[in-house]
Amino acid sequence: STGCIKELRRLKKKTIMVNCNPETVSTDYDIPDRLYFEEISFEVVMDIYNSENPEGVILSMGGQLPNNIAMDLYRQNARIL
């Protein structure tokens, strides 16, 4: 996911990362413009989506968690990129 964030930054896009495990971003914590250490659930991601008003959401990494919330995000009109 850091490769995706680096590419978005190269394109001058602001980036936000939601991660529930500080160990996985301990060396790359400064890669996104904003980093949330929160559980990855539909409610949390939707709250962040509504408060940040991003262009869209990229669901990646994290095993089943992103897959499990993808349809709920789509049903709430979150723009999935």
Side-chain angles (χ1 to χ4, degrees):
S1 65
T2 57
C4 182
I5 290 173
K6 287 178 182 178
E7 181 61 20
L8 288 168
R9 289 188 79 184
R10 187 185 72 74
L11 296 170
K12 307 280 192 259
K13 300 287 185 182
K14 297 272 185 199
T15 58
I16 301 165
M17 178 186 281
V18 181
N19 194 310
C20 61
N21 185 353
E23 294 291 318
T24 61
V25 291
S26 62
T27 58
D28 294 327
Y29 64 90
D30 60 342
I31 297 294
D33 293 294
R34 189 172 313 230
L35 177 60
Y36 287 88
F37 285 117
E38 299 285 344
E39 70 175 283
I40 297 176
S41 68
F42 165 72
E43 292 81 8
V44 168
V45 173
M46 202 66 210
D47 285 346
I48 293 169
Y49 183 87
N50 287 330
S51 68
E52 293 284 349
N53 196 26
E55 288 183 38
V57 177
I58 297 173
L59 302 167
S60 67
M61 308 308 229
Q64 282 302 115
L65 288 173
N67 292 336
N68 292 342
I69 67 171
M71 288 307 296
D72 289 334
L73 291 169
Y74 176 78
R75 285 184 195 108
Q76 291 298 312
N77 296 317
R79 184 167 180 227
I80 310 295
L81 303 176

